[in-house]
Amino acid sequence: MSQRNEQERSTRAARQLVETSRLLGVDFVPVRMDIGEAESEPGRAVPQVAREPERKEAAPADRREQKRAALDALCERHAAECPHCTQAQGWTNMVFGDGNPDARLMFVGEAPGAEEDRQGIPFVGRSGKKLNEMITAMGLSREEVYIANVLKTRPPNNATPTTTEADRCGVYLREQVAIIQPDVIVSLGKPAAQLLLNSREAMGRMRGRWHEYEGIPVMPTFHPAFLLRQYTPENRQKVWSDLKQAMERLPG
Ligand code: URA
């Protein structure tokens, strides 16, 4: 391994350590196999990362570009046709999605807020900062994952999406997932979990255990905005526990 790669690897592991302990109040850091062997705590077992066969129909760069093109086409179709967004009022920019079209890990949030509406990018406000910290704590970067929402336009007064709104715009989220084919989805908050899992269960009952959407494992966790509002050690531990389960499910 080159000196530069080794340095990048240590920097990343250090950042992961800082974010996990600073933000989530955790007592140890599970280390992803593919970012090296930085020790978390002497004697603490490193969780095994399940290895699954990689999908290799196309070379990774080709596959990424094919998926990018498919997402671009879907984005245009959504902008022209979405029965919810084309009729909704009060938004400025559609917020389609952001990140790696060939991501192994996909996050699904609720709907754009004021800052997302201004920039046209999901999770760039306060909740976005917290989500970025969560991603770093997982040993990943925002560029490696894909982030989308149930609704692609900002609801007036940041209202929670109704079931009808979620169903109408959610068609395009389903298509995004079908293109990206992530290995794991982490849903953030109740509307995302309820839509993907076709459930009416409370968040507290859904989070923390595995579900499935179209054969893809889904780990529901609290929305970063909820975590910011109720930033208790207990909630932070719960979110971190959910994220750790997602990390362990990702192929190495
Ligand atoms: N909250 C969400 O659910 N999505 C965003 O993009 C921003 C805030």
Side-chain angles (χ1 to χ4, degrees):
M1 180 179 291
S2 74
Q3 210 176 353
R4 188 156 167 268
N5 281 352
E6 203 161 338
Q7 208 169 15
E8 277 172 8
R9 206 182 64 171
S10 330
T11 308
R12 192 170 177 151
R15 250 194 253 128
Q16 185 187 1
L17 177 62
V18 168
E19 290 305 348
T20 44
S21 30
R22 184 169 69 90
L23 301 164
L24 299 170
V26 297
D27 60 353
F28 80 102
V29 181
V31 178
R32 287 181 53 81
M33 298 312 199
D34 56 344
I35 62 162
E37 291 159 11
E39 268 287 88
S40 49
E41 189 182 291
R44 182 76 76 152
V46 174
Q48 288 298 308
V49 178
R51 287 188 183 276
E52 287 168 14
E54 274 193 51
R55 297 183 301 258
K56 285 278 183 201
E57 306 83 43
D62 293 349
R63 194 174 61 212
R64 192 172 55 241
E65 290 320 306
Q66 284 164 10
K67 290 184 178 188
R68 194 188 303 284
L71 287 173
D72 287 349
L74 176 63
C75 179
E76 278 186 31
R77 194 153 52 75
H78 165 268
E81 292 175 358
C82 175
H84 168 69
C85 294
T86 54
Q87 290 183 22
Q89 304 286 315
W91 54 271
T92 307
N93 285 301
M94 283 187 178
V95 179
F96 182 73
D98 186 37
N100 179 359
D102 196 29
R104 291 177 301 165
L105 175 61
M106 179 166 177
F107 289 92
V108 178
E110 182 175 316
E115 194 52 34
E116 290 77 19
D117 182 56
R118 209 173 64 74
Q119 296 191 35
I121 303 170
F123 282 98
V124 286
R126 266 191 90 217
S127 295
K129 185 161 181 283
K130 181 54 64 189
L131 177 60
N132 290 348
E133 290 165 359
M134 287 158 56
I135 293 168
T136 303
M138 296 174 85
L140 294 166
S141 69
R142 191 166 159 129
E143 292 70 35
E144 287 171 291
V145 304
Y146 192 88
I147 304 171
N149 283 309
V150 171
L151 293 194
K152 307 213 180 312
T153 49
R154 184 190 184 205
N157 305 317
N158 293 336
T160 303
T162 64
T163 313
T164 308
E165 289 170 342
D167 285 343
R168 288 179 154 189
C169 194
V171 170
Y172 301 89
L173 173 67
R174 293 181 197 282
E175 289 199 46
Q176 279 175 299
V177 174
I179 292 169
I180 295 161
Q181 295 175 51
D183 290 300
V184 173
I185 296 174
V186 172
S187 61
L188 304 165
K190 192 159 80 170
Q194 289 193 335
L195 177 78
L196 290 173
L197 308 179
N198 193 23
S199 164
R200 301 268 72 83
E201 270 193 302
M203 198 54 227
R205 292 182 61 83
M206 287 186 285
R207 66 145 290 277
R209 59 193 175 89
W210 286 108
H211 305 255
E212 222 178 71
Y213 166 76
E214 299 285 328
I216 302 168
V218 178
M219 176 55 66
T221 195
F222 292 133
H223 193 285
F226 170 82
L227 191 60
L228 284 167
R229 280 196 307 275
Q230 300 198 25
Y231 202 59
T232 63
E234 194 191 354
N235 286 339
R236 290 154 69 190
Q237 289 286 349
K238 282 181 180 168
V239 170
W240 181 233
S241 157
D242 302 342
L243 298 180
K244 270 193 300 183
Q245 290 195 67
M247 288 164 71
E248 284 162 20
R249 195 79 183 243
L250 287 171

